[in-house]
Amino acid sequence: MPIARRTILGALAGTAALGTVGSPSAGAAPAGAAASALARLLPRHHDQVTFRTVPRRNGHDAFRVSGTAGRITVEGTTPAVQLTGFHHYLRHVANAHVSWRGEQTALLPARLPAVGEPVAATANVAHRFVFNDTNDGYTGPYHDWDYWERELDVLALHGFNEVLVYAGADAVYHRTFIEHGYSDAEVRAWVPGPAHQPWWLMQNMASFGGPVTRELLDRRTALARKIVRRLRELGMTPVLPGYFGTVPPGYAERDKGARTIPQGGWCGFDRPDWLDPRTPHFAAVARTFYQVQQELFGATTMYKMDLLHEGGSPGDVPVGAAAKAVEKALRTAHPDAVWAILGWQHNPRREIVDAVDRSRMLVLDGIPDRFPKITDREQDWGGTPYAFGTIWNFGGHTALGANAPEWVSLYERWRTKPGSALRGIAVMPEAADNDPAALALFSDLAWTSGPVDLRTWFGQWAVTRYGAADAGAARAWDALRRTAYGTGRADSWSEQADGLFGARPDLAVDHAASWSPRQLRYDAAEFEAALPALLSVAPPLRASSAYRADLVDVARQCVSNRGRLLLPRVKAAYDEGDRDRFGDLTRQWLDWMDLLEQIVATDDRHLLGRWLSAARAWGSSDAERDRLQADALTLLTVWGPRHAADAGKLHDYANREWAGLVGGLYRLRWQTYFTELETALDEDRAPHPVDWFALEDRWTHGPTETRTRPTGDIVRIARTVASRL
């Protein structure tokens, strides 16, 4: 179908009225973008700061901050880099900061402090990439512009210049395949609900949680347009999904002569078919895809594509030839674009990097801090440029910590070795908005000359985080440095263990998500020392959202870790048939769960009710609101239908210690389980099995009333926790 007819189809899909987006270069970013961001972030102080744009330093981004009290000058190569420079000044001179979880700016004096020696840095890598493909699902598929506006400001403050944008991709696919013979309703039924769309875009599954409505597509398109527009204003690169061959069911029957390759299954889901990239049929679909995408969101300079992700099958298609064809389609649409590809499991296959123009590919390495066998990425990928990355969080788990020693040692060594192809950093937790220390530390790698000393870094972080030097804060963060942030890759894990309170009940269970560590990776008693230390922080430093967020995280983690100490005792009592001791220990277990619910209920980022109300807000009818809520809640619980949850092992993949989950589904499961075990002891029989999926699915689709506002005093509750440890 000719591309000129898109306006008719756009009207059908409800997207054409949104107009056309241009594609300004980073150099066209309007003056004042940094100042506008600072006005949003620091309304009391923004008029004391002057931003100036300067040329790159030998091709590298750089900033310089100088000035006297109340008159700060920030020079930087883009508005985003200017904000990075100002944030470095805040952290290292003014003892203040902003993060995606908690901030400390209230203790800033009326006049911003003088700089003294200028604060300056040059980026040691060109690419500073952020977000996992799964981010839109696990962080918040139903966030609105208020959220995204602040999120983008925070990313700029931390020095990122390339941001993965998956919002709006549903509208691109929708219009593309209407132009290739599908009806509006057929495509909308193929597109999953927003919570599950990331896995559809990775060619893992389709349809679940849908159908999407045209109104929803319109709203998501409008949001995506705001996101990419703001990124361009800040001089940052929106990284958009490219086209690599995913098609709706029955494509070969619709487009005579087209050739599709079945992709089999993924964790209990049927994967969409793959259109052979070597054919003119693929070229035609790719051409439409990129034209529609550019009409809606403008062109960019980086596109993200993963061929044959997590077990995809090439069939009889030569992988190298397929990669060449995918690259050709990209180059036809965007001649100078970079192809970003995820380094994960066996991706990218060597046949891919050997077939393409390596100089215009960037591998986003997600596992260098996880597996000790990874030692030479230049050899693995034939010298293809890559970004040193990390995935410290899977599924949005609330576990605290990361393999920080690996970050600081590997990054500097790999970046500076002869012939290094390391050209960037990639912060890719599967869910964002957690672990602000990890965010700050990893992003600092790109702006630090020489290796980072962790003892020094965490010592300064304790000052920056709460606003002044404090002995209790220093002790707390040193304990966290040695435990949750002191682990390494020798055990082949990059995240910390999730909690057992969120696991499907079993007396021998040692993990909640199927692909999580089986034991704590640090000493729990040593970690617990951080809690009384935090509680001893001077009262004037306790008022910030940063302090409260950290107190929630540390108290929550202490209680979560208790489950691993208590469950073996519960099991021993049951195995010995000691009914009284079993009853006492299971009551303790449930009491700890009740205390955990109290902790997380104090924090708005730990409320299931906010997650669900955000989903419902996107619906245009009661039926759609119910469907969107189920889409969002399913992701956190059973993840998908029974086969995916059980045989596919996806249940509880996105477990998290949130108010409403801990006191709702998680407590219901454990209470149900303990009641059955008690009855079995009383009746001297084996316990009856519980159909956990049936229980979980009923709860997920039943009436769910959860709070949307925090309640309780975290300081008081944390003191209770400390007294029980």
Side-chain angles (χ1 to χ4, degrees):
M1 184 175 293
I3 202 72
R5 295 178 60 189
R6 182 172 299 116
T7 53
I8 298 174
L9 294 170
L12 171 65
T15 53
L18 294 170
T20 303
V21 178
S23 54
S25 65
S36 296
L38 195 61
R40 293 188 291 271
L41 296 164
L42 288 180
R44 294 189 301 119
H45 298 88
H46 70 99
D47 56 356
Q48 300 177 35
V49 183
T50 300
F51 293 101
R52 295 175 181 166
T53 301
V54 297
R56 283 183 167 84
R57 184 174 300 168
N58 297 320
H60 297 282
D61 281 325
F63 62 76
R64 184 177 186 273
V65 187
S66 59
T68 57
R71 297 175 62 88
I72 306 301
T73 298
V74 182
E75 299 170 308
T77 46
T78 68
V81 172
Q82 293 160 18
L83 289 169
T84 305
F86 181 75
H87 198 224
H88 274 248
Y89 154 78
L90 273 188
R91 289 172 56 193
H92 298 289
V93 176
N95 292 337
H97 79 293
V98 177
S99 188
W100 60 17
R101 179 157 158 69
E103 66 176 52
Q104 195 299 108
T105 58
L107 296 182
L108 284 170
R111 297 177 68 202
L112 290 173
V115 178
E117 186 71 21
V119 176
T122 299
N124 56 46
V125 285
H127 300 285
R128 299 171 312 272
F129 180 96
V130 65
F131 288 151
N132 197 296
D133 296 73
T134 65
N135 183 71
D136 271 8
Y138 290 139
T139 301
Y142 297 98
H143 284 315
D144 58 15
W145 174 241
D146 286 346
Y147 165 86
W148 275 106
E149 183 170 52
R150 178 178 173 80
E151 187 81 348
L152 299 182
D153 288 345
V154 169
L155 296 179
L157 291 172
H158 284 79
F160 296 103
N161 65 349
E162 295 162 351
V163 181
L164 184 63
V165 181
Y166 267 6
D170 44 10
V172 177
Y173 273 93
H174 177 240
R175 285 180 49 175
T176 294
F177 285 106
I178 286 178
E179 295 204 13
H180 285 271
Y182 286 80
S183 71
D184 163 62
E186 286 173 327
V187 183
R188 289 190 292 104
W190 179 59
V191 176
H196 290 80
Q197 283 186 19
W199 295 270
W200 166 65
L201 293 172
M202 291 186 284
Q203 207 177 40
N204 290 345
M205 47 86 76
S207 300
F208 187 81
V212 295
T213 64
R214 288 188 302 203
E215 292 81 4
L216 184 64
L217 291 173
D218 289 349
R219 288 189 63 184
R220 286 174 57 77
T221 300
L223 174 63
R225 287 165 61 87
K226 288 182 178 181
I227 293 171
V228 298
R229 183 182 298 119
R230 178 56 53 79
L231 287 170
R232 291 178 175 121
E233 289 173 358
L234 291 169
M236 303 164 79
T237 298
V239 181
L240 301 178
Y243 186 71
F244 57 94
T246 305
V247 292
Y251 187 82
E253 289 74 39
R254 305 284 183 111
D255 188 357
K256 296 305 180 184
R259 185 171 184 271
T260 57
I261 297 89
Q263 292 300 289
W266 176 85
C267 295
F269 286 96
D270 292 329
R271 301 176 67 136
D273 288 344
W274 184 42
L275 182 60
D276 188 341
R278 303 170 300 167
T279 66
H281 304 273
F282 174 90
V285 175
R287 181 168 56 250
T288 304
F289 180 94
Y290 287 120
Q291 288 173 331
V292 170
Q293 186 182 62
Q294 183 164 344
E295 181 182 319
L296 290 177
F297 307 120
T300 190
T301 56
M302 183 177 287
Y303 292 83
K304 173 75 166 54
M305 294 181 284
D306 295 308
L307 296 185
L308 309 170
H309 177 80
E310 290 193 350
S313 171
D316 61 358
V317 177
V319 174
K324 278 183 176 292
V326 169
E327 182 184 39
K328 181 180 179 181
L330 174 62
R331 300 274 172 258
T332 300
H334 306 291
D336 299 320
V338 172
W339 176 355
I341 189 167
L342 182 63
W344 172 250
Q345 294 184 350
H346 301 295
N347 288 4
R349 303 185 187 206
R350 186 58 187 262
E351 304 100 299
I352 293 175
V353 297
D354 285 347
V356 303
D357 180 353
R358 291 174 180 154
S359 69
R360 289 190 288 178
M361 175 173 274
L362 180 70
V363 182
L364 307 167
D365 191 357
I367 53 177
D369 61 338
R370 178 165 183 162
F371 296 112
K373 65 182 180 181
I374 295 173
T375 58
D376 192 339
R377 283 316 202 188
E378 287 72 24
Q379 181 178 0
D380 293 340
W381 297 322
T384 307
Y386 74 98
F388 180 87
T390 180
I391 306 175
W392 70 68
N393 173 287
F394 286 77
H397 301 161
T398 37
L400 190 66
N403 288 353
E406 305 289 2
W407 296 353
V408 299
S409 62
L410 295 177
Y411 180 76
E412 183 66 13
R413 189 165 74 247
W414 290 4
R415 184 182 68 83
T416 59
K417 76 175 186 178
S420 174
L422 195 161
R423 298 290 183 270
I425 62 168
V427 168
M428 298 186 292
E430 285 196 340
D433 298 353
N434 55 64
D435 224 324
L439 173 69
L441 173 59
F442 200 89
S443 62
D444 276 358
L445 297 177
W447 296 94
T448 303
S449 177
V452 173
D453 178 79
L454 288 178
R455 187 183 296 272
T456 301
W457 192 94
F458 277 99
Q460 177 60 44
W461 177 253
V463 178
T464 298
R465 188 69 171 155
Y466 310 132
D470 181 271
R475 290 196 307 275
W477 277 101
D478 192 58
L480 296 175
R481 173 187 65 83
R482 290 180 282 105
T483 54
Y485 297 95
T487 52
R489 64 179 186 163
D491 59 358
S492 295
W493 292 105
S494 61
E495 73 162 338
Q496 302 301 346
D498 55 10
L500 301 186
F501 294 124
R504 278 187 175 177
D506 187 285
L507 293 180
V509 71
D510 56 9
H511 60 286
S514 295
W515 296 278
S516 288
R518 272 40 179 175
Q519 59 187 12
L520 280 182
R521 303 176 60 227
Y522 54 81
D523 183 270
E526 192 173 359
F527 179 94
E528 289 174 359
L531 184 57
L534 269 184
L535 287 167
S536 74
V537 166
L541 305 185
R542 297 181 191 169
S544 71
S545 60
Y547 176 78
R548 294 193 300 274
D550 291 348
L551 198 54
V552 168
D553 270 339
V554 172
R556 179 205 51 73
Q557 193 66 58
C558 286
V559 172
S560 183
N561 292 350
R562 281 279 139 169
R564 292 183 176 272
L565 300 177
L566 183 57
L567 192 58
R569 297 173 59 203
V570 175
K571 183 179 187 303
Y574 180 81
D575 290 345
E576 294 165 11
D578 190 331
R579 176 68 169 77
D580 291 340
R581 188 157 60 95
F582 178 78
D584 178 61
L585 290 171
T586 55
R587 281 190 293 274
Q588 289 184 41
W589 179 275
L590 296 174
D591 285 346
W592 280 113
M593 291 191 75
D594 292 341
L595 186 54
L596 181 58
E597 173 81 2
Q598 292 178 45
I599 293 168
V600 292
T602 67
D603 185 82
D604 60 357
R605 294 290 185 93
H606 286 73
L607 301 181
L608 178 63
R610 292 183 73 241
W611 178 269
L612 300 182
S613 64
R616 298 189 67 83
W618 282 76
S620 56
S621 67
D622 287 343
E624 186 178 22
R625 283 186 278 273
D626 290 345
R627 186 164 64 249
L628 298 181
Q629 173 173 311
D631 175 50
L633 187 52
T634 297
L635 189 73
L636 305 187
T637 54
V638 292
W639 212 102
R642 181 183 288 273
H643 191 62
D646 293 346
K649 302 180 180 180
L650 288 176
H651 70 85
D652 297 303
Y653 183 90
N655 75 85
R656 48 195 71 181
E657 288 159 346
W658 279 5
L661 279 176
V662 174
L665 175 62
Y666 298 168
R667 197 183 196 284
L668 172 63
R669 288 195 300 202
W670 282 102
Q671 180 68 74
T672 300
Y673 183 61
F674 290 150
T675 298
E676 172 56 28
L677 293 186
E678 287 176 349
T679 303
L681 285 176
D682 290 342
E683 297 177 358
D684 192 24
R685 60 168 174 80
H688 298 312
V690 178
D691 184 342
W692 292 119
F693 177 84
L695 180 150
E696 295 154 356
D697 197 52
R698 282 195 303 272
W699 188 87
T700 297
H701 290 90
T704 305
E705 295 183 6
T706 57
R707 60 174 61 92
T708 58
R709 293 185 178 182
T711 182
D713 177 0
I714 184 55
V715 175
R716 178 187 61 78
I717 298 169
R719 285 176 178 151
T720 299
V721 174
S723 71
R724 293 189 186 181
L725 294 177

